């Protein structure tokens, strides 16, 4: 009913639902373009930086600064959006920064420019906090899980589409092509975003910082945030990190990196949209997380021993599916039970914390790869996934048990 009131008192409920549906798909279109511009160069990023003459340590720094900037910016952006009671300016920020990062990659053929460009792209990704809560605002609170599934699926499809053509463009038109296309797409998305109406949030008294501070003390939020650190550590060591280097190391061409991307992202998209719900019914949240993390540990450990591109793609099919089980579950749990006017803060905390994995994972993996070869980084990813499987078994069970105890206490008090 609240959705109808936001859309106006002079229209019927059916018309209101139609407009709301149109708003959702318009917003998802902007989301698609945002991630397309941000990920079009990701499959060739680490080979590109290595091509510029950087060491594995420098490659790790370029990959890791993306997460570092999100550690610094995501929570302030979430708090700022909640306190201003506005979403749209931060949507603009993400698109402008995404386009600017592509321009910086074009500024010079030195690893330092790549480092600066990837740092700006980290600021762009920090705005994802607001994208997430704004899209959740198009749905009733009880449909937050459905909203996050749609958002995650759109993200994965955008990443798949852009990353599939990245290697082909480099092979045929040179290293700079993905950066040029990414900048053009970001500019187009910004023009579309100017027509995006500001979301009408519930009118409240001015929100004080102290009102938002308690959000970051929620036990479930803290636990799923730490699990997401490990999940993103694995993701940014493997497909978004060093797996393309491994493919080139065993003799694959740059153009064939598209097949590697497809092998990971297609099952990842399927698992994101359907896997969590299906396995959740069979295994529950804890069982699904344990399966996803344990499976990812196995497939990550196998990566450096694969002798051919086809065998390497087989590990990516498994890894993509297993990681696709994890992310929607953790994302949905991060805002479950949080009041709408505090959701950007909760999401900002969640995304700032998991950015530690995006930053620290590839940086430490780069250091290990310098000492032990690429296999050292993949060993680190496998250990991180295995640890997350163990923590999921312990923490999710404890969260369920404590919730059951709380319900029993409330029932006893009622008697």
């Amino acid at each position: 009913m609240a959705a109808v009131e936001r859309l106006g008192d002079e229209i019927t409920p059916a018309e209101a639902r139609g407009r709301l549906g149109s708003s959702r798909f318009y917003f998802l279109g902007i989301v698609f373009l945002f991630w397309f511009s941000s990920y079009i160069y990701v499959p060739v990023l680490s080979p590109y930086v290595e091509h510029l003459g950087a060491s594995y340590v420098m490659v790790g720094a370029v990959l890791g600064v993306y997460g570092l900037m999100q550690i610094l910016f995501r929570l302030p952006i979430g708090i700022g959006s909640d306190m201003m009671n506005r979403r749209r300016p931060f949507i603009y920020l993400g698109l402008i920064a995404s386009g600017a990062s592509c321009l910086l990659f074009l500024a010079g053929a030195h690893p330092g420019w790549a480092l600066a460009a990837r740092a700006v792209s980290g600021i762009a990704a920090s705005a994802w906090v607001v994208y997430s809560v704004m899209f959740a605002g198009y749905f009733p609170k009880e449909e937050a899980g459905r909203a996050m599934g749609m958002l995650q699926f759109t993200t994965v499809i955008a990443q798949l589409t852009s990353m599939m053509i990245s290697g082909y463009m480099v092979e045929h038109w040179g290293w700079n092509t993905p950066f040029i296309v990414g900048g053009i797409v970001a500019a187009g998305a910004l023009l579309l975003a100017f027509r995006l109406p500001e979301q009408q949030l519930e009118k409240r008294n001015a929100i004080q910082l102290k009102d938002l501070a308690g959000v970051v003390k929620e036990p479930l939020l803290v636990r799923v945030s730490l699990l997401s650190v490990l999940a993103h550590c694995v993701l940014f060591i493997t497909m978004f990190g060093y797996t393309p280097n491994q493919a080139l190391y065993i003799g694959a061409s740059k153009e064939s990196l598209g097949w590697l991307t497809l092998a990971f992202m297609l099952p990842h998209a399927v698992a994101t949209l359907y896997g969590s719900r299906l396995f959740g019914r069979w295994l529950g949240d804890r069982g699904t997380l344990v399966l996803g993390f344990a499976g990812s540990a196995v497939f990550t450990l196998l990566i450096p021993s694969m002798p051919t591109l086809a065998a390497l793609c087989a590990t990516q099919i498994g890894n993509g599916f297993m990681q696709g089980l994890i992310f929607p579950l953790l994302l949905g749990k991060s805002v479950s039970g949080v009041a709408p006017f505090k959701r950007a803060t909760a999401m900002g905390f969640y995304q700032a914390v998991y950015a530690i994995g995006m930053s620290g994972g590839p940086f430490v993996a780069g250091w290990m790869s310098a000492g032990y070869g690429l296999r050292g980084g993949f060993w680190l990813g496998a250990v991180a996934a295995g640890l997350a499987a163990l923590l999921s078994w312990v923490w999710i069970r404890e969260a369920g048990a404590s919730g059951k105890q709380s319900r029993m206490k409330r029932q006893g008090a009622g008697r």
Side-chain angles (χ1 to χ4, degrees), residues 75-87 90 130 201 204-213 340-345:
L75 184 56
I77 284 176
I79 292 174
S81 178
D82 277 343
M83 295 188 71
M84 292 170 60
N85 206 26
R86 297 188 68 190
R87 307 297 191 214
F90 299 96
V130 179
L201 304 177
R204 314 179 45 88
N205 294 329
I207 301 174
Q208 303 297 320
L209 194 58
K210 64 181 180 180
D211 298 327
L212 302 174
F341 74 96
K342 295 181 180 180
R343 280 183 178 175
T345 299

Side-chain angles (χ1 to χ4, degrees), residues 383-407:
V383 170
L387 175 61
L390 177 62
L391 291 176
S392 296
W393 179 265
V394 175
W395 282 350
I396 301 303
R397 181 179 58 184
E398 287 178 350
S402 63
K404 184 177 180 180
Q405 290 171 0
S406 297
R407 287 193 299 271

Side-chain angles (χ1 to χ4, degrees), residues 228-243 264 293 296-297 300 303 319 323 326-327 357-358 361-362 377-378 380-386 388:
S228 200
V229 168
L230 297 171
H232 283 83
C233 179
V234 179
L235 179 62
F236 278 78
I237 286 173
T238 54
M239 190 61 241
F240 295 162
Y242 296 96
T243 302
F264 181 92
F293 279 120
S296 185
T300 300
I303 288 173
N319 223 343
Q323 292 185 32
I326 296 166
F327 289 110
M358 298 165 63
F378 296 121
L380 174 67
V383 170

Side-chain angles (χ1 to χ4, degrees), residues 9 23 82 171 177 202 251 264 267 308 314 331 346 354 368 394 399:
D9 297 326
S23 298
D82 277 343
E171 188 76 25
T177 311
E202 179 184 355
F264 181 92
T308 65
L331 186 62
Y354 78 52
M368 291 190 67
V394 175

Side-chain angles (χ1 to χ4, degrees), residues 161-228:
T161 306
S162 60
M163 293 168 68
M164 272 294 295
I165 63 176
S166 182
Y168 180 87
M169 288 191 295
V170 169
E171 188 76 25
H172 289 271
W173 299 301
W175 288 107
N176 286 339
T177 311
F179 308 128
I180 295 171
V181 173
I184 293 171
V185 170
L190 182 61
L191 292 177
L192 291 177
F194 285 144
R195 297 187 60 190
L196 189 68
E198 182 63 87
Q199 197 168 65
Q200 297 300 308
L201 304 177
E202 179 184 355
K203 291 188 179 298
R204 314 179 45 88
N205 294 329
I207 301 174
Q208 303 297 320
L209 194 58
K210 64 181 180 180
D211 298 327
L212 302 174
V215 173
V216 301
K217 299 178 183 178
E218 290 290 334
L220 181 59
L221 174 60
V222 172
R223 287 172 178 173
V224 299
S225 298
L226 293 176
L227 288 174
S228 200

